[in-house]
């Protein structure tokens, strides 16, 4: 499950040309795991868990953050 979360985050954060590059996705996901936890389970009660969320939900949230529609 944690690999799926990391890959999904990496794909969403990378450009289309890098979407299939799993190593790049894993590298990009490090910044997410700092707050959301290595396995998508946050230790901070203020930070939401990503484990168990659908990849579509995470993708939409990241796109909305990038567009400025959603703020943390």
């Amino acid at each position: 499950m944690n690999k799926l979360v990391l890959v999904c985050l990496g794909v969403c954060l990378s450009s289309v040309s890098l979407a299939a590059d799993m190593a790049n996705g894993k590298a990009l996901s490090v910044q997410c795991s700092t707050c959301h936890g290595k396995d998508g389970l946050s230790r901070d009660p203020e930070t939401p868990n990503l484990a168990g969320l659908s990849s579509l939900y995470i993708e939409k949230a990241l796109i909305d953050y990038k567009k400025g529609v959603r703020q943390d």
Side-chain angles (χ1 to χ4, degrees), residues 41-63:
L41 298 171
S42 172
R43 294 183 184 200
D44 180 359
E46 298 289 321
T47 305
N49 293 323
L50 297 178
L53 296 176
S54 76
S55 59
L56 293 175
Y57 176 85
I58 293 172
E59 179 182 14
K60 180 170 180 348
L62 290 171
I63 290 169

Side-chain angles (χ1 to χ4, degrees), residues 12-15 60-70:
C12 292
L13 294 174
S14 65
S15 69
K60 180 170 180 348
L62 290 171
I63 290 169
D64 287 349
Y65 283 124
K66 189 173 184 177
K67 289 180 179 178
V69 173
R70 183 174 179 166

Side-chain angles (χ1 to χ4, degrees), residues 16-31:
V16 174
S17 63
L18 299 175
D21 186 351
M22 291 181 67
N24 186 55
K26 188 172 183 177
L28 289 171
S29 71
V30 170
Q31 55 193 332

